[in-house]
């Protein structure tokens, strides 16, 4: 049995946009789509999944669709469903979030705890509709980013588009540097950043030889580099590691910033 793509909905416009994105993604990968509405016990009963299902069927008649309503905490329900899901898809904000919030509390909690890739659907219609062009992936190294890189290659192949792989690095401010030797030259003595990126892309590139790849090595902020690279992208992919001795993922400052400010849908992929 094929595991489903799961989209969490609450009736908000952002969750409807997420359902649209999820419907397209389910068709793209030929996987079932499961629409989940998790409502608190005191929340008024509304036919959120029924209305969302009608919208999905109109957009993607061929998709294998199922629905479910759970009377429990939304983040906990989604994380639990994510234990056996192709991915979890969420809107950037929900009905219960305060005005002015950049990212909904449920989306952030799920992105930090899920066991499968989590997509937060952000950006304008062009970015959400796979009309912009590229899949962008942030690469730390082959050990930390391997699962995210493989996910990004698979997405680029399914979308028949270019993969832009970005490796940003900088020498810590307190690092002593020999006179006349730049930070780049100092790090290059050990392992050139371009080699780090090449090594991370090698095995997935062999598996997906038809995907065109552009490599970008940036001396500077990873946050700025990825936001710039994804300005014209359909999808931004980043990895996250498990925290030693703690439940959840090591999202870090960069991933937090990207989840709040990415100009397109962003996927957080747990490293396995």
């Amino acid at each position: 049995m094929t595991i489903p793509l799961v989209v969490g909905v609450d009736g908000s416009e952002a969750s409807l946009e997420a359902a649209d994105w999820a419907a397209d993604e389910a068709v793209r990968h030929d996987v079932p789509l499961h629409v989940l509405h998790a409502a608190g016990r005191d929340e008024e009963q509304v036919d959120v999944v029924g209305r969302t299902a009608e919208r999905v069927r109109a957009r993607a008649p061929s998709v294998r669709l199922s629905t479910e309503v759970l009377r429990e905490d939304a983040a906990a329900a989604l994380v639990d469903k994510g234990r056996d899901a192709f991915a979890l898809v969420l809107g950037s904000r929900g009905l219960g979030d305060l005005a002015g919030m950049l990212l909904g509390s449920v989306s952030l909690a799920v992105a930090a705890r899920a066991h499968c890739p989590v997509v937060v659907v952000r950006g304008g219609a062009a970015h959400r509709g796979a009309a912009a062009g590229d899949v962008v992936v942030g690469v730390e190294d082959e050990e930390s980013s391997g699962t995210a890189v493989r996910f990004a290659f698979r997405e680029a192949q399914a979308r028949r588009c270019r993969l832009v792989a970005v490796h940003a690095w900088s020498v810590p401010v307190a690092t002593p540097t020999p006179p006349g030797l730049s930070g780049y030259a100092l790090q290059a003595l050990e392992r050139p950043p371009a080699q780090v990126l090449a090594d991370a892309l090698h095995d997935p590139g062999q598996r997906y030889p038809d995907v065109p790849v552009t490599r970008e090595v940036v001396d500077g902020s990873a946050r700025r580099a990825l936001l710039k690279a994804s300005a014209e992208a359909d999808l931004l992919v980043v990895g996250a590691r498990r925290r030693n001795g703690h439940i959840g993922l090591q999202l870090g400052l960069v991933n937090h910033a990207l989840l709040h400010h990415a100009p397109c849908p962003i996927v957080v992929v747990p490293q396995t």
Side-chain angles (χ1 to χ4, degrees), residues 1-6 29-34 64-68 81 84-86:
M1 180 179 177
T2 305
I3 60 175
L5 182 67
V6 177
H29 290 281
D30 190 23
V31 296
L33 178 61
H34 187 68
R64 291 165 283 168
L65 184 64
S66 59
T67 63
E68 184 177 12
K81 286 293 178 183
D84 191 27
F86 183 83

Side-chain angles (χ1 to χ4, degrees), residues 104-198:
S105 56
V106 170
S107 297
L108 184 59
V110 174
R113 293 164 53 193
H115 298 267
C116 69
V118 176
V119 185
V120 176
V121 178
R122 299 183 54 83
H127 293 286
R128 300 193 309 270
D134 299 331
V135 170
V136 175
V137 60
V139 182
E140 188 174 349
D141 55 41
E142 62 269 36
E143 181 179 351
S144 302
S145 306
T147 309
V149 170
R150 290 192 295 274
F151 182 97
F153 264 99
R154 184 181 66 184
E155 282 293 327
Q157 177 170 273
R159 296 161 180 269
R160 299 179 181 178
C161 70
R162 180 180 65 156
L163 177 65
V164 179
V166 180
H167 174 59
W169 67 279
S170 59
V171 176
V173 175
T175 302
T177 304
L181 196 61
S182 69
Y184 184 93
L186 178 64
Q187 185 163 332
L189 289 175
E190 300 177 359
R191 192 181 180 203
Q195 187 62 53
V196 173
L197 181 56

Side-chain angles (χ1 to χ4, degrees), residues 12-59:
S12 65
E13 183 61 29
S15 80
L16 293 176
E17 291 171 354
D20 290 344
W21 190 95
D24 294 343
E25 183 78 349
V27 172
R28 188 177 293 122
H29 290 281
D30 190 23
V31 296
L33 178 61
H34 187 68
V35 177
L36 174 66
H37 175 51
R41 297 186 183 278
D42 297 329
E43 183 177 320
E44 182 181 350
Q45 286 280 9
V46 181
D47 189 18
V48 172
V49 295
R51 289 188 283 115
T52 305
E54 289 180 6
R55 180 176 176 127
V56 168
R57 290 191 182 99
R59 185 180 185 93

Side-chain angles (χ1 to χ4, degrees), residues 212-225:
V213 180
T214 296
R215 304 177 184 186
E216 295 186 5
V217 176
V218 179
D219 181 359
S221 162
R223 176 184 60 83
R224 285 196 296 268

